[in-house]
Amino acid sequence: MNRPGDLLLSPWALVSVSVILVNDHVLKGAFGNTMTGKLSDVAGVFLFPLLLLSVLEVLRRKLAGRAAIAWSIAVTGIGFTAVKTVSPIGDAYEWVIGFFRWTAGGFRGELLPIVVFRDPSDLWVLPILFASYLVVTHNRTRAPEGAPEHEVISPVPHPT
């Protein structure tokens, strides 16, 4: 994964997207229980830092460094916690995502918020952010400023 935005093409990101799609469009309708809710939370919390980094990289046209990786993990954790525990933030999130769904659907139908169940026990999924970090840093390279070769970014420093 050496080009901006490539994180979303990693096998883990693709599995996460698949889990979200199958869970939200099939399993929740068929079962609609605690397990399907938690499954969405795990997949979404795992995927969101990868999405944030990919958008940042595509906009900047270069791979993100350690600060951006830390920022994406922190924003995801803080945002998820706020949506699940702070009512005004959760309400705003429901309407923003509802707006995105409405626009993606060609502005057809009514603009309605999505429903987010505010359950502080959902915060147990936050450790999945460590897995996101490992996926981002595993075998990830970026070009240092002004140098043609690549530097390996990983949790453990590599000899150069």
Side-chain angles (χ1 to χ4, degrees), residues 25-61:
H25 297 284
V26 177
L27 299 178
K28 282 186 178 180
F31 303 105
N33 58 24
T34 301
M35 182 61 93
T36 58
K38 302 295 187 210
L39 193 56
S40 287
D41 291 342
V42 169
V45 168
F46 172 81
L47 182 64
F48 198 69
L50 281 62
L51 177 63
L52 285 176
L53 284 170
S54 293
V55 169
L56 177 67
E57 290 175 350
V58 168
L59 292 174
R60 293 175 61 206
R61 296 189 178 123

Side-chain angles (χ1 to χ4, degrees), residues 2 10 15 32-33 39 48-49 57-59 63 84-85 97 100 105 112 122 131 136 139 142 153 155-156:
N2 295 323
S10 76
V15 166
N33 58 24
L39 193 56
F48 198 69
E57 290 175 350
V58 168
L59 292 174
L63 296 178
K84 291 293 187 171
T85 61
I97 300 303
F100 286 146
L112 297 170
D122 288 342
V136 171
N139 294 326
R142 68 175 167 84
I153 300 175
V156 180

Side-chain angles (χ1 to χ4, degrees), residues 7-20 46-47 50:
L7 284 171
L8 292 180
L9 299 176
S10 76
W12 291 106
L14 297 174
V15 166
S16 185
V17 168
S18 298
V19 166
I20 291 169
F46 172 81
L47 182 64
L50 281 62

Side-chain angles (χ1 to χ4, degrees), residues 65-136:
R66 287 185 174 99
I69 294 168
W71 169 84
S72 72
I73 300 287
V75 165
T76 302
I78 292 166
F80 183 77
T81 300
V83 166
K84 291 293 187 171
T85 61
V86 180
S87 290
I89 293 173
D91 293 345
Y93 175 80
E94 288 176 342
W95 279 100
V96 167
I97 300 303
F99 175 77
F100 286 146
R101 278 183 146 182
W102 182 62
T103 56
F107 305 101
R108 286 185 294 263
E110 256 186 281
L111 169 59
L112 297 170
I114 65 164
V115 176
V116 173
F117 293 99
R118 291 185 189 82
D119 179 4
S121 75
D122 288 342
L123 301 183
W124 73 268
V125 306
L126 289 175
I128 199 70
L129 289 170
F130 183 67
S132 300
Y133 173 78
L134 292 176
V135 166
V136 171

